[in-house]
Amino acid sequence: MSSNKTKWYEDSRFGMFIHWGLYSLIGVDEWIKSINHMSDEDYDRLVGKFTADQFDADEWAAAAKQAGMKYAVFTAKHHDGFCMYDSQLTDYKSTNSPAGRDFVREFLDAFRKAGIKVGLYYSLLDWHHPDYPHYGDINHPQRNNPAAKGVERNFQRYLDYMHGQIKELLTNYGQLDIMWFDFSYPKMAGETWQPQKIMDMIHQYQPQMLIDNRMEGSGANYGTILSAHPSNYAGDFASPEQMIPPKPIVNELGEPVPWEACITMNKHWGYNATDDQFKSTSLIIHTLVECVSKGGNLILNVGPTPLGTFSAPTKKLLAEIGEWMAVNGEIVYGCTTAELAKPEWGRYTQKGNTLYAHIQEESISAFPIAVPKEQIKQMTLLIDGIEVKATDYWALSAFKEYSYIFLHQDVTIGYPLPDPK
Ligand code: JFZ
C-alpha cells in the first residue's frame, strides 16, 4: 500500500537499474554461466580479467541525473555469486580482481553525491556458494554435473552466509533507500530464505529502506503483496518484469500498490556485445508515461561494458530521454493515474487538480479533451509555458511528443465528453 515510507519512491517514478558483473566480460548474458553450463573453474577465470579500467561512477551518476532518473539500483551480487563489494565473508569479490575496487561503495558515493537515491540488488540465488542447493534452481549451472550430485550441501550454512552478507550491506554502506532481492522460484520462496531474520535486520539498521517483492515472488509472480494480509516480507512494491501491467496494480482491497516495471534498453540485462536492438527513445518515453498513468514507476536498465563504461547507444538513449525529461519531467514526477480515461491520442497523468496530457499519436486534426471548457482554468504548453487559447473544448491543436498542463477543477471519472456545438 502507498504510505509515507514509499512517497519519495512513488514521486520519483523513473530510476536506473544497473547490471554489471563478471558476466559483462563475456558480453552475452548475465545468465551465461547457467546457459552454457560453465564450470566454476572456467567462469572464475574472468575474475583475473576484471580490470574495470574505465569505470567512473561519477560518469554513470551524471548520465542518470541528466536522464532525469531519481534513483538507481546496482547489482551488489548477481546469481553468479560474485560480489561487487568487499565482503568479509568470501574471497569471491571485486576487491580481489585486478581492479581491486569496491564497486558498490563507488556507486553509492557517486550517486548520492548527484542527489540520486540508491539501492542494491542482491541475488538470493548463488551459483558459486558450495552450499547453495543446485536442485533448488532448475537453471543451476551444476545441475547436470554428475560430480555435483553427491555433494553434501548444508543450506543453513548458505543462509547464514547470505544473511551475513545482507548485514554487511545494511551496516557498512550508509543509508540505503532500496534493497532489491532477486528472486524466488515458486518452490523456493518466502520461508525458504528465513526472511524474518532479514526483516529484523532491515528494521534494526535501515528502517526507512524499501524492498521489492521478490523474497516471495519473481517478475511474473507477485507473492502476497496484493493480498489483504500481506506477509511481513511481502515487499513495498511489486516488480513486473519486461512488461507493463494492463492497469494500475491494486491489492485485494482495491488499494493501489506501488510498483515498478523493470525494463531493458535492448534485449539483455547484462552487457551484450552484439545486441543492438535498442528500444527507441520515444518508445521508452511513452512507456514511462504509461507507467505513471497507471500509478507505477519505470526502472530502466543499463548493462555497462567490461571496462565499466556505458555503451554509445546507451548514452545516446539516456541523453535523448534526458532532453525530453528536462522539458516534460513535470508530467512524470509526483504524478499518478488521472481521473480521466486514456485518450486516443496519448496519455493523461495527474497531480492534484492539475491534469497533464502527453500527445503520443500523430493526427491531422485537433485533439479532443474530455473536460468541459468551463472546468479548464488554464491550459499551458510545457515546452514554452505559453498559454493555449482553446476557442472551444475541441480545439487543441497539438503535436506529437508535446505535453500540456490543464489546471482544472472537479473532474470526475468518466466525465462524459460534451457534444460538439
Ligand atoms: C531476474 C534475473 O534472473 C535477471 O538476470 C535480472 O536480474 C532480472 C532483473 O531479474 O529475472 C527473472 C527473474 C524471474 C523470472 C524471470 C526473470 N521468472 O521467474 O520468470
Side-chain angles (χ1 to χ4, degrees):
M1 244 222 306
S2 304
S3 64
N4 283 341
K5 197 175 151 200
T6 54
K7 185 171 189 318
W8 73 264
Y9 172 80
E10 294 183 86
D11 284 349
S12 299
R13 290 297 181 222
F14 191 30
M16 175 181 276
F17 217 159
I18 305 172
H19 278 69
W20 194 46
L22 282 185
Y23 46 83
S24 309
L25 277 67
I26 302 181
V28 176
D29 192 290
E30 76 283 358
W31 279 71
I32 192 65
K33 186 182 184 191
S34 165
I35 293 167
N36 284 359
H37 306 303
M38 291 175 75
S39 64
D40 288 340
E41 199 193 354
D42 272 355
Y43 191 77
D44 295 349
R45 274 197 266 276
L46 296 168
V47 179
K49 297 185 179 152
F50 207 169
T51 60
D53 286 340
Q54 293 171 21
F55 170 59
D56 178 349
D58 289 318
E59 273 181 30
W60 290 11
K65 192 183 172 83
Q66 188 274 337
M69 292 157 156
K70 300 289 190 193
Y71 65 101
V73 176
F74 176 66
T75 46
K77 184 193 90 170
H78 204 266
H79 307 334
D80 64 2
F82 185 73
C83 294
M84 299 291 276
Y85 72 101
D86 195 16
S87 172
Q88 299 310 301
L89 303 175
T90 181
D91 293 333
Y92 198 53
K93 57 184 177 181
S94 59
T95 41
N96 284 342
S97 72
R101 295 160 74 173
D102 185 325
F103 299 128
V104 164
R105 194 172 296 287
E106 292 187 41
F107 157 78
L108 293 172
D109 288 347
F111 279 70
R112 284 184 187 130
K113 205 164 28 147
I116 297 172
K117 298 264 190 191
V118 288
L120 297 176
Y121 170 110
Y122 183 85
S123 173
L124 302 165
L125 282 49
D126 192 315
W127 302 329
H128 180 263
H129 196 283
D131 289 306
Y132 182 81
H134 67 99
Y135 51 79
D137 181 355
I138 49 165
N139 285 305
H140 193 291
Q142 299 296 337
R143 75 185 191 278
N144 294 324
N145 174 358
K149 289 235 165 81
V151 175
E152 284 263 337
R153 293 172 200 267
N154 179 337
F155 189 51
Q156 188 57 50
R157 214 154 47 198
Y158 171 67
L159 289 177
D160 292 345
Y161 169 81
M162 181 181 107
H163 293 148
Q165 288 205 316
I166 292 169
K167 182 173 179 183
E168 289 182 318
L169 294 171
L170 294 177
T171 55
N172 295 339
Y173 290 89
Q175 183 179 315
L176 299 176
D177 303 299
I178 297 174
M179 274 289 271
W180 218 97
F181 296 106
D182 197 29
F183 66 88
S184 298
Y185 286 108
K187 285 193 176 154
M188 227 181 152
E191 289 303 322
T192 308
W193 311 114
Q194 295 175 358
Q196 195 50 51
K197 287 191 187 163
I198 301 173
M199 295 315 295
D200 288 346
M201 290 192 286
I202 291 172
H203 293 142
Q204 184 176 355
Y205 302 120
Q206 302 272 352
Q208 78 300 324
M209 194 180 80
L210 305 180
I211 61 168
D212 68 343
N213 62 329
R214 294 195 180 188
M215 269 196 275
E216 291 180 329
S218 64
N221 157 23
Y222 294 157
T224 65
I225 192 170
L226 304 190
S227 108
H229 303 285
S231 79
N232 243 349
Y233 42 88
D236 300 294
F237 59 88
S239 57
E241 180 172 328
Q242 303 285 39
M243 58 89 82
I244 312 299
K247 43 185 204 283
I249 298 182
V250 295
N251 65 17
E252 283 173 5
L253 304 171
E255 300 159 336
V257 170
W259 61 269
E260 160 192 283
C262 49
I263 303 289
T264 53
M265 282 187 174
N266 53 6
K267 303 273 184 195
H268 294 87
W269 296 100
Y271 177 66
N272 181 295
T274 57
D275 178 355
D276 57 4
Q277 293 186 62
F278 281 78
K279 294 166 182 80
S280 70
T281 304
S282 79
L283 178 57
I284 298 290
I285 290 167
H286 291 191
T287 303
L288 173 59
V289 176
E290 179 178 357
C291 289
V292 177
S293 79
K294 293 174 177 177
N297 292 12
L298 174 67
I299 184 165
L300 181 63
N301 182 70
V302 169
T305 65
L307 292 179
T309 57
F310 287 1
S311 71
T314 302
K315 283 194 216 168
K316 180 166 181 284
L317 194 50
L318 289 173
E320 289 175 359
I321 294 167
E323 277 173 39
W324 184 88
M325 287 294 282
V327 174
N328 301 277
E330 194 179 332
I331 86 165
V332 169
Y333 306 126
C335 292
T336 190
T337 310
E339 294 162 52
L340 294 176
K342 182 194 178 305
E344 277 185 59
W345 38 260
R347 300 244 172 216
Y348 292 126
T349 68
Q350 190 165 342
K351 183 163 41 192
N353 266 357
T354 305
L355 185 71
Y356 295 96
H358 183 222
I359 309 297
Q360 300 178 339
E361 302 281 341
E362 286 180 73
S363 169
I364 55 157
S365 69
F367 294 82
I369 292 159
V371 183
K373 189 170 64 173
E374 312 76 67
Q375 288 194 4
I376 299 176
K377 284 200 284 196
Q378 191 195 336
M379 188 157 55
T380 316
L381 185 56
L382 264 177
I383 195 161
D384 52 15
I386 288 176
E387 191 172 342
V388 177
K389 300 275 184 210
T391 48
D392 64 37
Y393 42 71
W394 285 109
L396 174 63
S397 303
F399 303 93
K400 199 162 171 269
E401 306 306 352
Y402 280 68
S403 303
Y404 293 85
I405 317 177
F406 303 87
L407 295 171
H408 73 115
Q409 304 163 308
D410 304 327
V411 174
T412 50
I413 293 175
Y415 203 98
L417 193 65
D419 294 330
K421 286 174 211 161

mmCIF file of all heavy atoms in Angstrom, residues 67 138 192 246 349 358 368 384 399 406:
data_model
loop_
_atom_site.group_PDB
_atom_site.id
_atom_site.type_symbol
_atom_site.label_atom_id
_atom_site.label_comp_id
_atom_site.label_asym_id
_atom_site.label_seq_id
_atom_site.Cartn_x
_atom_site.Cartn_y
_atom_site.Cartn_z
ATOM 1 N N ALA A 67 19.454 12.114 -17.428
ATOM 2 C CA ALA A 67 18.293 11.420 -17.989
ATOM 3 C C ALA A 67 17.029 11.688 -17.165
ATOM 4 O O ALA A 67 15.931 11.339 -17.593
ATOM 5 C CB ALA A 67 18.565 9.919 -18.068
ATOM 6 N N ILE A 138 16.451 -24.748 -11.039
ATOM 7 C CA ILE A 138 16.413 -25.590 -12.236
ATOM 8 C C ILE A 138 17.456 -25.167 -13.258
ATOM 9 O O ILE A 138 17.821 -25.935 -14.128
ATOM 10 C CB ILE A 138 15.017 -25.578 -12.903
ATOM 11 C CG1 ILE A 138 14.532 -24.135 -13.068
ATOM 12 C CG2 ILE A 138 14.016 -26.392 -12.118
ATOM 13 C CD1 ILE A 138 13.361 -23.991 -14.010
ATOM 14 N N THR A 192 11.686 -20.118 2.776
ATOM 15 C CA THR A 192 12.968 -20.719 2.373
ATOM 16 C C THR A 192 14.160 -19.854 2.779
ATOM 17 O O THR A 192 15.211 -20.362 3.138
ATOM 18 C CB THR A 192 13.011 -20.879 0.832
ATOM 19 O OG1 THR A 192 11.848 -21.569 0.425
ATOM 20 C CG2 THR A 192 14.248 -21.630 0.402
ATOM 21 N N PRO A 246 -1.561 -4.127 -17.451
ATOM 22 C CA PRO A 246 -2.643 -3.530 -18.244
ATOM 23 C C PRO A 246 -3.368 -2.405 -17.519
ATOM 24 O O PRO A 246 -3.952 -1.544 -18.153
ATOM 25 C CB PRO A 246 -3.581 -4.699 -18.520
ATOM 26 C CG PRO A 246 -3.226 -5.748 -17.527
ATOM 27 C CD PRO A 246 -1.788 -5.559 -17.170
ATOM 28 N N THR A 349 -1.697 12.118 -17.180
ATOM 29 C CA THR A 349 -1.281 11.863 -15.803
ATOM 30 C C THR A 349 -1.869 12.991 -14.971
ATOM 31 O O THR A 349 -2.358 13.979 -15.542
ATOM 32 C CB THR A 349 0.254 11.836 -15.622
ATOM 33 O OG1 THR A 349 0.783 13.141 -15.833
ATOM 34 C CG2 THR A 349 0.906 10.852 -16.588
ATOM 35 N N HIS A 358 -0.084 14.021 -22.517
ATOM 36 C CA HIS A 358 1.062 13.787 -23.390
ATOM 37 C C HIS A 358 0.558 13.272 -24.727
ATOM 38 O O HIS A 358 -0.074 12.215 -24.801
ATOM 39 C CB HIS A 358 2.027 12.764 -22.757
ATOM 40 C CG HIS A 358 3.243 12.535 -23.578
ATOM 41 N ND1 HIS A 358 3.788 11.288 -23.793
ATOM 42 C CD2 HIS A 358 4.035 13.405 -24.247
ATOM 43 C CE1 HIS A 358 4.854 11.408 -24.561
ATOM 44 N NE2 HIS A 358 5.032 12.672 -24.853
ATOM 45 N N PRO A 368 -9.344 15.999 -29.028
ATOM 46 C CA PRO A 368 -10.422 16.237 -28.074
ATOM 47 C C PRO A 368 -9.992 15.933 -26.651
ATOM 48 O O PRO A 368 -9.259 14.986 -26.395
ATOM 49 C CB PRO A 368 -11.516 15.277 -28.521
ATOM 50 C CG PRO A 368 -10.814 14.218 -29.288
ATOM 51 C CD PRO A 368 -9.598 14.835 -29.883
ATOM 52 N N ASP A 384 7.091 25.677 -23.834
ATOM 53 C CA ASP A 384 7.400 27.102 -23.763
ATOM 54 C C ASP A 384 6.593 27.833 -22.686
ATOM 55 O O ASP A 384 6.725 29.038 -22.522
ATOM 56 C CB ASP A 384 7.166 27.769 -25.126
ATOM 57 C CG ASP A 384 5.782 27.455 -25.657
ATOM 58 O OD1 ASP A 384 4.937 26.991 -24.877
ATOM 59 O OD2 ASP A 384 5.550 27.659 -26.859
ATOM 60 N N PHE A 399 0.906 18.598 -31.207
ATOM 61 C CA PHE A 399 1.898 17.869 -31.968
ATOM 62 C C PHE A 399 2.430 16.723 -31.133
ATOM 63 O O PHE A 399 2.499 16.818 -29.925
ATOM 64 C CB PHE A 399 3.035 18.800 -32.372
ATOM 65 C CG PHE A 399 2.559 19.974 -33.158
ATOM 66 C CD1 PHE A 399 2.239 21.162 -32.514
ATOM 67 C CD2 PHE A 399 2.391 19.880 -34.526
ATOM 68 C CE1 PHE A 399 1.783 22.251 -33.235
ATOM 69 C CE2 PHE A 399 1.921 20.964 -35.250
ATOM 70 C CZ PHE A 399 1.618 22.162 -34.602
ATOM 71 N N PHE A 406 -3.233 21.080 -17.835
ATOM 72 C CA PHE A 406 -4.538 21.689 -17.650
ATOM 73 C C PHE A 406 -4.722 21.927 -16.169
ATOM 74 O O PHE A 406 -4.583 21.000 -15.383
ATOM 75 C CB PHE A 406 -5.663 20.747 -18.091
ATOM 76 C CG PHE A 406 -5.525 20.304 -19.497
ATOM 77 C CD1 PHE A 406 -4.769 19.184 -19.806
ATOM 78 C CD2 PHE A 406 -6.150 20.989 -20.517
ATOM 79 C CE1 PHE A 406 -4.642 18.772 -21.112
ATOM 80 C CE2 PHE A 406 -6.028 20.567 -21.816
ATOM 81 C CZ PHE A 406 -5.269 19.458 -22.127
#
